[in-house]
Amino acid sequence: GAVVSQHPSWVICKSGTSVKIECRSLDFQATTMFWYRQFPKQSLMLMATSNEGSKATYEQGVEKDKFLINHASLTLSTLTVTSAHPEDSSFYICSADRGSNEQFFGPGTRLTVL
Amino acid sequence: DQQVKQNSPSLSVQEGRISILNCDYTNSMFDYFLWYKKYPAEGPTFLISISSIKDKNEDGRFTVFLNKSAKHLSLHIVPSQPGDSAVYFCAASDGGGSNYKLTFGKGTLLTVNP
């Protein structure tokens, strides 16, 4: 149990376009979902925390208007990178907590902005 | 400011020997610590955790030691196996509840040679 999926696994887009990444908890309901970003050889940096039905809490330095998070149900959260630029190219990973204070991570999405 | 530090970017050990991965932290509010294993282009997988009220937790070949006074923890893997080769992340949390956050180190690449 405790499987988290992400879609797509990789995406290449042109600068200025928007990209949506989905995170799903497949076999449990996630009270809280987290979005991370990882640059090469760096640690996972928390971007935002979201609870179903409420607005996401963004970490300092993360632009909420650029990284739109929607947590519409207990099994689905989406991250939309709006007007993507090459500096947004990164590995985006979500995680989900089923209420046990233990995060289960998705496989990640590799975003490349040309 | 890196609150969780893994000062060794890489470690190489021989199969069958012990692997010791180290982690230091600076935030005295951290009270729960976790180790994750990560393969390239995949999300982290939970390995083992320890609460600040303990100084040792063991699970099969994996043992985590916590030295609160030194703000130091370590992960011991014995015996090491080639399949253990991956990046290992140390993470720390400063409390439970629905909005807890994990702070990650930069990771240590472990290579176990046959």
Side-chain angles (χ1 to χ4, degrees):
Chain A
V3 178
V4 177
S5 71
Q6 277 184 244
H7 178 79
S9 56
W10 61 270
V11 57
I12 302 173
C13 70
K14 292 183 178 180
S15 184
T17 60
S18 294
V19 174
K20 180 186 283 188
I21 303 170
E22 290 185 351
C23 176
R24 293 182 186 270
S25 55
L26 298 184
D27 51 3
F28 66 98
Q29 293 186 325
T31 54
T32 306
M33 285 185 166
F34 305 82
W35 286 96
Y36 293 84
R37 181 169 54 184
Q38 185 189 20
F39 292 106
K41 298 186 178 180
Q42 298 296 314
S43 61
L44 281 75
M45 297 299 294
L46 179 66
M47 299 174 67
T49 303
S50 73
N51 294 296
E52 184 262 341
S54 61
K55 289 185 179 179
T57 302
Y58 289 81
E59 294 300 298
Q60 194 173 13
V62 178
E63 299 173 58
K64 62 180 181 181
D65 294 330
K66 179 168 185 61
F67 299 100
L68 300 178
I69 292 173
N70 185 294
H71 195 157
S73 76
L74 285 172
T75 59
L76 173 64
S77 176
T78 61
L79 167 68
T80 301
V81 183
T82 62
S83 187
H85 290 284
E87 58 265 29
D88 299 323
S89 298
S90 187
F91 193 56
Y92 292 87
I93 306 176
C94 73
S95 70
D97 179 1
R98 58 184 174 187
S100 58
N101 279 5
E102 186 178 345
Q103 294 184 29
F104 298 92
F105 286 81
T109 298
R110 170 73 61 193
L111 170 63
T112 302
V113 185
L114 302 176
Chain B
D1 177 35
Q2 194 81 12
Q3 295 188 63
V4 177
K5 300 177 183 178
Q6 294 177 255
N7 292 318
S8 297
S10 64
L11 173 69
S12 183
V13 300
Q14 215 49 40
E15 180 179 6
R17 306 295 288 270
I18 185 171
S19 296
I20 300 177
L21 299 116
N22 293 303
C23 178
D24 298 291
Y25 62 96
T26 58
N27 189 340
S28 57
M29 297 301 291
F30 288 147
D31 61 0
Y32 193 64
F33 305 88
L34 309 91
W35 284 94
Y36 285 86
K37 177 180 179 180
K38 184 180 181 300
Y39 294 112
E42 292 185 12
T45 303
F46 171 76
L47 265 181
I48 192 170
S49 63
I50 188 167
S51 164
S52 61
I53 61 173
K54 291 186 172 184
D55 55 18
K56 177 182 175 181
N57 188 26
E58 195 170 350
D59 184 2
R61 297 186 297 115
F62 302 92
T63 303
V64 55
F65 295 92
L66 175 63
N67 182 332
K68 279 184 63 179
S69 61
K71 293 190 176 68
H72 176 83
L73 62 154
S74 60
L75 173 68
H76 293 210
I77 306 173
V78 57
S80 301
Q81 300 172 354
D84 296 330
S85 298
V87 177
Y88 289 79
F89 287 96
C90 169
S93 167
D94 61 355
S98 60
N99 287 315
Y100 78 103
K101 299 188 299 187
L102 290 180
T103 302
F104 283 84
K106 289 187 177 183
T108 296
L109 173 61
L110 172 66
T111 303
V112 180
N113 301 303

